[in-house]
Amino acid sequence: MEDQLKQIKSKLLKDELADFEFTSRMKDEVVRKMNKTKSFSFRGLVPAGLSFVLAAVFISGMYFLVDSNYTSNPAPASPPGAATDGKDEKPELIEPGYIPEPYVFKHTHTDGDIYEHVYVNPEDEKENFTYGMSSGEPELGEGKAQELELTADIRGKYVDVNEGHSYIIWEDEKFNQVVEQNGSMSKVDLLKVVDSILLKKGHDSWLAGEIAELEEAAVPPAEEQPTIEALTEESAIALLVKYEEKNRSISSGRDNLKYNNLYTKEDYYQLYYDLMTEEAAVKLYEPRLEEKDGGLYAVPTEFPAFYSETDPYSFEKVNENTYVLSQTFKEGLYSGITATFTYNNDKWLISDIEGK
């Protein structure tokens, strides 16, 4: 580079001084000035245009240097998605306004004219979705398609390729735009991602209605409460009569105080579970039983109170699940009985019985 500048400078100086002639008159003038002053300056001998020539050489050299450097090292191309001058300008690849959990941004991927944002599930990156653009037709796979009205003037389609692979594609800003998922992302979340992109780009999205319908359909219906058949007086009395019959039958099957074929209190309680709740059986019989010597024994005490078929009673409904029968005895060990009935496991059972 330095040799090139020296050659240019020499050529310019040669051209500038080509017609220069040192005459006798000029020689006399030089001698006169040398005698007049002690200092000698060669500057006066150089034509005034020489300064201009040197400046021109410097500027030409700088221009050559910059131009050569630019030609050898052109500026880098714009990154994918950046705006550039010219007819091939790409629209901005924005970040969707809605990112469903648990997805997080991983990177921006480019492949030819395709450029896309990639989002993954940190726990399993096979679960992922992308938002991308391309000027050509992307290869996405075929499947069951549903036409979508995204905005007043933008149409798209939802394609269910197979279980775990679906996408929504539309055209905007002269580019094909796609949101594609691989994994278990729901259709509703896919629509929400597209909806957020349209809104962020300034469109009036029409997807809100479709999203609301899908969310409503996804809500499981409220469990129907089982129809409870009302407990009649006859059914309540029948339970009390069976309870007494079972008590006397079990008591008759013992040798003195020892029960035959019963070894624990739990063995005894279970005999009543078709008539009363476990809590009622334990409350009623736990004080009347004793486990010892590897067997089950009756504790000597009074019998529990039973319903009397000859004494008056009252029967009332407390609520849909509870009824109470109260009876007063004219004679006997007990002055009366109060029995409570509740609806358990699709049937009516005695939940409490108490002698007064």
Side-chain angles (χ1 to χ4, degrees), residues 253-271:
R254 70 188 188 197
D255 184 8
N256 291 325
L257 297 177
K258 187 177 185 297
Y259 291 98
N260 297 320
N261 301 319
L262 296 175
Y263 304 98
T264 66
K265 292 180 180 180
E266 181 62 31
D267 292 340
Y268 190 95
Y269 302 151
Q270 289 182 1
L271 298 175

Side-chain angles (χ1 to χ4, degrees), residues 84-356:
T84 58
D85 293 332
K87 62 181 180 180
D88 295 329
E89 178 179 342
K90 293 183 178 180
E92 180 185 2
L93 185 64
I94 65 171
E95 179 181 354
Y98 172 75
I99 308 295
E101 293 184 350
Y103 299 94
V104 296
F105 176 76
K106 183 178 182 182
H107 59 239
T108 299
H109 170 255
T110 61
D111 183 7
D113 73 334
I114 299 173
Y115 56 116
E116 60 188 4
H117 292 322
V118 180
Y119 299 84
V120 300
N121 180 342
E123 300 296 326
D124 181 7
E125 293 197 1
K126 292 181 180 178
E127 291 265 347
N128 60 74
F129 80 92
T130 60
Y131 164 49
M133 299 181 185
S134 70
S135 58
E137 190 72 25
E139 298 180 2
L140 297 167
E142 298 180 356
K144 184 179 179 181
Q146 174 195 354
E147 298 296 323
L148 294 173
E149 292 187 341
L150 305 183
T151 72
D153 53 4
I154 299 177
R155 299 294 180 269
K157 63 181 178 180
Y158 166 79
V159 180
D160 187 3
V161 180
N162 53 50
E163 185 177 356
H165 181 202
S166 56
Y167 62 88
I168 296 175
I169 182 170
W170 71 100
E171 184 178 337
D172 187 21
E173 302 172 293
K174 299 182 179 180
F175 271 69
N176 287 308
Q177 311 212 17
V178 181
V179 175
E180 180 182 18
Q181 73 86 21
N182 290 283
S184 59
M185 180 188 287
S186 66
K187 181 180 178 181
V188 129
D189 276 336
L190 202 62
L191 286 167
K192 284 183 177 181
V193 173
V194 174
D195 180 67
S196 72
I197 292 169
L198 294 171
L199 293 174
K200 208 166 181 180
K201 283 180 172 284
H203 296 296
D204 183 12
S205 173
W206 284 10
L207 289 176
E210 177 90 6
I211 292 169
E213 288 180 9
L214 288 174
E215 287 183 327
E216 184 177 348
V219 176
E223 292 185 9
E224 294 184 6
Q225 295 297 324
T227 302
I228 299 176
E229 185 178 350
L231 179 66
T232 63
E233 293 182 27
E234 292 78 10
S235 296
I237 291 172
L239 283 172
L240 292 174
V241 171
K242 288 179 181 178
Y243 146 66
E244 180 182 1
E245 290 174 350
K246 179 162 288 192
N247 180 277
R248 295 188 184 280
S249 173
I250 295 171
S251 296
S252 64
R254 70 188 188 197
D255 184 8
N256 291 325
L257 297 177
K258 187 177 185 297
Y259 291 98
N260 297 320
N261 301 319
L262 296 175
Y263 304 98
T264 66
K265 292 180 180 180
E266 181 62 31
D267 292 340
Y268 190 95
Y269 302 151
Q270 289 182 1
L271 298 175
Y272 290 88
Y273 287 169
D274 60 330
L275 302 174
M276 63 178 60
T277 64
E278 180 180 356
E279 292 78 10
V282 172
K283 178 182 176 181
L284 186 63
Y285 289 110
E286 200 279 333
R288 293 178 166 87
L289 299 171
E290 182 181 15
E291 295 176 5
K292 65 179 182 179
D293 302 330
L296 184 66
Y297 293 79
V299 174
T301 186
E302 72 279 357
F303 271 91
F306 299 121
Y307 169 75
S308 170
E309 295 183 357
T310 58
D311 292 318
Y313 65 88
S314 65
F315 183 73
E316 61 180 286
K317 177 181 178 180
V318 178
N319 54 48
E320 291 295 326
N321 296 311
T322 308
Y323 287 81
V324 174
L325 184 147
S326 296
Q327 186 176 38
T328 301
F329 301 148
K330 295 177 181 178
E331 58 183 11
L333 178 64
Y334 297 98
S335 61
I337 187 176
T338 300
T340 303
F341 306 86
T342 57
Y343 196 77
N344 290 271
N345 299 323
D346 300 327
K347 61 182 178 180
W348 288 99
L349 297 173
I350 300 168
S351 57
D352 188 42
I353 187 165
E354 185 175 357
K356 298 184 286 186

